[in-house]
């Protein structure tokens, strides 16, 4: 999400929180990590908290890298979270077994030291 965005009762992560978690080896918990299908369904727009001047560039990087790796955008997002520093544990849900299978395959995806900065700095 955009820095400083408002989620009402939920707390959006900021650099101070990331540093705190990183320094204490605390894992973050990500709620609604796949944004209700917004990354893969063109009829579901990104929530306004995620929109900014760099949104299109970030999405293009996501789509390109997923295609290059032969995985889905959702798998790439989940793998990115699990490879992040600090680690982010995404809460996932599925409407059917195929979605759950797709999500769980993210556990088998490795991201290289070269790929992580591309994802972290997409749109910058």
């Amino acid at each position: 999400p955009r820095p400083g965005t408002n989620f009402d009762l939920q707390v959006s992560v900021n650099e101070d929180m990331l540093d705190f978690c990183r320094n204490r080896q605390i894992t973050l918990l990500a709620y609604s990590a796949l944004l209700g299908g917004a990354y893969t369904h063109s009829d579901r727009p990104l929530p306004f908290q995620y929109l900014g001047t760099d949104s299109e560039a970030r999405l293009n990087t996501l789509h390109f890298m997923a295609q290059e790796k032969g995985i889905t955008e959702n798998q790439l997002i989940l793998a990115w979270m699990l490879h992040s520093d600090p680690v982010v544990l995404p809460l996932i849900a599925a409407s059917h077994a195929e979605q759950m299978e797709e999500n769980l395959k993210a556990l088998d995806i490795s991201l290289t030291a070269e790929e992580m900065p591309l994802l972290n700095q997409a749109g910058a």
Side-chain angles (χ1 to χ4, degrees):
R2 292 185 325 260
T5 196
N6 183 357
F7 286 97
D8 295 323
L9 297 176
Q10 296 177 23
V11 177
S12 179
V13 69
N14 59 31
E15 286 303 317
D16 290 337
M17 186 184 295
L18 289 173
D19 287 340
F20 180 87
C21 292
R22 195 176 293 116
N23 292 331
R24 288 159 182 81
Q25 298 180 339
I26 296 172
T27 299
L28 289 169
L29 188 62
Y31 177 79
S32 190
L34 300 177
L35 305 180
Y39 293 115
T40 55
H41 296 283
S42 59
D43 62 330
R44 299 180 190 167
L46 288 173
F48 74 91
Q49 294 97 333
Y50 291 79
L51 296 175
T53 56
D54 63 348
S55 296
E56 187 173 335
R58 293 171 66 118
L59 288 171
N60 287 340
T61 298
L62 173 69
H63 298 309
F64 175 79
M65 189 175 290
Q67 185 176 28
E68 286 291 307
K69 293 183 75 61
I71 60 177
T72 69
E73 287 85 350
N74 288 343
Q75 290 169 335
L76 181 56
I77 291 164
L78 297 174
W80 169 75
M81 288 181 172
L82 294 169
H83 285 80
S84 292
D85 182 28
V87 172
V88 179
L89 181 62
L91 289 177
I92 58 171
S95 299
H96 48 78
E98 292 80 17
Q99 282 181 337
M100 185 59 75
E101 290 171 9
E102 175 191 356
N103 292 343
L104 291 175
K105 287 180 183 176
L107 295 170
D108 298 325
I109 296 170
S110 294
L111 297 175
T112 67
E114 293 79 28
E115 290 170 328
M116 285 301 291
L118 292 174
L119 291 168
N120 290 336
Q121 299 164 7

